[in-house]
Amino acid sequence: MALKAKPGMLPGHQIHKRLIPISTALLVGISFWFLQDLRDDRSNRPVAEFEPTEFVLVSEFIFGKPHHGLELAKAVIDAGAKVLILANIDSDFQDNKQVAWLEEELGSGNFSLLPASHESLWVRDFGPIPTVRFHAHSGSELVLADFLYRDTSKLDDTIPYQTGLYLEASLTHLPLPFDGGNFMTDGDTCLLTDDFRGWDDFEASVPELRQNQKNALKNRLKDAIGCRKVHIIADAPHEHIDMWLKFTSPGRVLVNQINSDSFKPLSMAAEHLIQVQNFARRLDEIASELVSLGLTVKRLPQPVPHPEAFFTYANTTLVNQTAIIPSYRTFAEGGDDFAEYERQVAVAYDQEGFTPVFVDAAELIRDGGALHCVTSQVPFDPGSGTTIAHAQAQGGWWRFWF
């Protein structure tokens, strides 16, 4: 005689059917947790400049009169960040008189001195590239990426390490020559030019690095920094991408534009005129190239490059929704023209959601750079509880697991 289930009880085969989806769900959950742990050290991304900034790293050298470092520092502080000043250990910059002057001008709680030997004011090129690493079971942390810097002495090349020690931040060292001024990111896409200064003298320990420079650098940027896409731009109008391009939000980028109406052929040498025309044409081509990558491109007015200076408003420092923009009005000539450019540029950055502030960079541009070149943003440590704007905008940290 067949056994019957008691009232209120399920037959065995029905119990079995009910348990299958439950056990499957448990198995999937355990597997998901295990895979998170396996992907732990691969959940990372670069930090975009438009994200919340805690410190702006600068050199003591910008505080000389021609460079208007004091105005730059005040603009950074007004934007809600602190100024971290690299000060040579054996310089007079750390004496009581100098510190008292800084405290009077900036406020004692708005800056810090980082004792660090260096020789150049171009902090962007040798400073650290900030990244976020997310640990599935222990939160997220700020990690500074350090490349080899080959333009000046080896002292400058130690700055990312010394900055990491000061901030108690982790450091990722990549033994590849690379300038920070040739790197732009929105947190996903990373853009750079094909100018690989230093590679010729670099004795790579891994042979394939020498055989295929572009792929080697692309892979390192993806693995160590977390770039989802890496695009290398050839035949750029300037070897450093920060001289003509600026990310302002996820997937949105400003690209310089030289208006042909601003050419003054009669006052230009023939060779210079051809160079300017080639610059203008190439910028237009690059803008179209970036659109084909899925980026939204807006154009930023650029004055006609001078034989002595590559005027640009893309070389701007973004700090907490403030755009600290270079001004060239005090350059030897063209003050009225620059005033009109500044009006147009202020509107462009305002439309991108930034408050425009101008700081004199006429002498800096004579030396080959502007405000972005002499600054390096350090974001809030995500482990401190500060929300990373990019992660918020993209739906949270889960997006970096897949």
Side-chain angles (χ1 to χ4, degrees):
M1 184 174 70
L3 294 176
K4 295 184 178 180
K6 293 182 180 180
M9 293 182 62
L10 291 173
H13 70 282
Q14 292 184 11
I15 294 174
H16 180 65
K17 288 180 179 179
R18 294 285 181 91
L19 287 176
I20 289 176
I22 296 174
S23 60
T24 301
L26 287 172
L27 181 61
V28 169
I30 292 171
S31 300
F32 181 69
W33 178 87
F34 181 69
L35 286 173
Q36 285 181 5
D37 199 48
L38 287 178
R39 295 281 310 259
D40 193 16
D41 63 341
R42 295 183 60 82
S43 298
N44 61 341
R45 69 174 181 86
V47 178
E49 294 176 28
F50 50 75
E51 298 188 48
T53 299
E54 183 174 14
F55 297 101
V56 173
L57 189 67
V58 299
S59 166
E60 65 171 90
F61 301 134
I62 69 162
F63 288 92
K65 275 189 177 179
H67 301 314
H68 297 272
L70 195 61
E71 291 90 335
L72 174 59
K74 288 180 178 179
V76 167
I77 293 166
D78 289 344
K82 295 181 179 180
V83 182
L84 190 56
I85 305 171
L86 299 174
N88 279 297
I89 297 171
D90 57 351
S91 75
D92 295 333
F93 200 79
Q94 298 190 64
D95 65 26
N96 292 335
K97 184 178 180 180
Q98 183 73 22
V99 171
W101 173 72
L102 288 171
E103 288 178 346
E104 181 181 352
E105 294 288 346
L106 305 179
S108 59
N110 294 322
F111 74 94
S112 297
L113 298 182
L114 196 169
S117 297
H118 65 292
E119 295 185 350
S120 170
L121 55 75
W122 306 116
V123 175
R124 177 66 56 177
D125 288 339
F126 57 79
I129 294 177
T131 73
V132 170
R133 180 180 295 157
F134 181 71
H135 302 286
H137 306 295
S138 58
S140 54
E141 66 169 329
L142 172 68
V143 179
L144 302 179
D146 170 33
F147 287 86
L148 295 178
Y149 183 65
R150 294 301 198 200
D151 272 13
T152 57
S153 76
K154 291 185 178 180
L155 289 177
D156 293 340
D157 199 25
T158 67
I159 294 303
Y161 175 74
Q162 296 184 72
T163 305
L165 286 178
Y166 179 85
L167 298 175
E168 298 182 353
S170 297
L171 196 75
T172 295
H173 178 68
L174 297 105
L176 298 176
F178 190 65
D179 289 358
N182 192 24
F183 179 80
M184 278 285 160
T185 183
D186 65 347
D188 278 338
T189 300
C190 297
L191 302 175
L192 57 151
T193 76
D194 61 355
D195 177 69
F196 300 128
R197 286 184 289 178
W199 279 80
D200 291 341
D201 301 325
F202 179 53
E203 295 297 328
S205 57
V206 182
E208 57 265 28
L209 296 184
R210 271 202 160 290
Q211 295 170 9
N212 196 330
Q213 298 173 1
K214 290 184 180 181
N215 283 340
L217 191 53
K218 278 185 176 182
N219 292 336
R220 289 300 181 95
L221 290 173
K222 289 178 179 179
D223 292 341
I225 293 182
C227 300
R228 282 176 167 262
K229 300 176 184 176
V230 178
H231 184 68
I232 298 176
I233 298 170
D235 191 25
H238 191 286
E239 62 267 19
H240 278 187
I241 198 168
D242 69 346
M243 294 295 283
W244 47 270
L245 181 147
K246 173 70 65 182
F247 273 112
T248 57
S249 60
R252 192 175 179 91
V253 65
L254 297 176
V255 176
N256 280 5
Q257 182 175 40
I258 301 175
N259 191 333
S260 59
D261 293 339
S262 62
F263 293 177
K264 298 177 181 177
L266 295 179
S267 62
M268 286 187 188
E271 183 179 354
H272 182 55
L273 176 61
I274 293 173
Q275 185 182 42
V276 170
Q277 291 172 332
N278 288 337
F279 278 166
R281 173 187 54 78
R282 188 66 189 117
L283 286 168
D284 293 342
E285 293 172 350
I286 291 172
S288 299
E289 184 179 333
L290 297 178
V291 169
S292 70
L293 295 178
L295 297 174
T296 298
V297 177
K298 298 295 180 181
R299 306 306 297 273
L300 187 67
Q302 177 183 355
V304 173
H306 190 277
E308 298 178 10
F310 189 88
F311 300 119
T312 175
Y313 297 105
N315 201 268
T316 287
T317 300
L318 302 181
V319 184
N320 300 329
Q321 298 309 122
T322 295
I324 306 175
I325 309 168
S327 173
Y328 308 115
R329 291 197 194 195
T330 61
F331 200 81
E333 56 188 56
D336 293 339
D337 291 339
F338 288 131
E340 174 57 24
Y341 275 110
E342 287 186 14
R343 186 193 66 77
Q344 296 176 30
V345 168
V347 171
Y349 276 104
D350 180 71
Q351 291 176 344
E352 296 299 307
F354 294 89
T355 300
V357 174
F358 287 88
V359 171
D360 195 319
E363 290 305 313
L364 284 173
I365 204 65
R366 286 183 189 277
D367 292 335
L371 302 183
H372 189 262
C373 294
V374 297
T375 56
S376 180
Q377 295 98 320
V378 179
F380 283 95
D381 185 341
S384 67
T386 302
T387 301
I388 297 293
H390 183 89
Q392 246 187 351
Q394 298 295 324
W397 289 110
W398 62 268
R399 62 185 291 279
F400 301 113
W401 296 347
F402 301 98

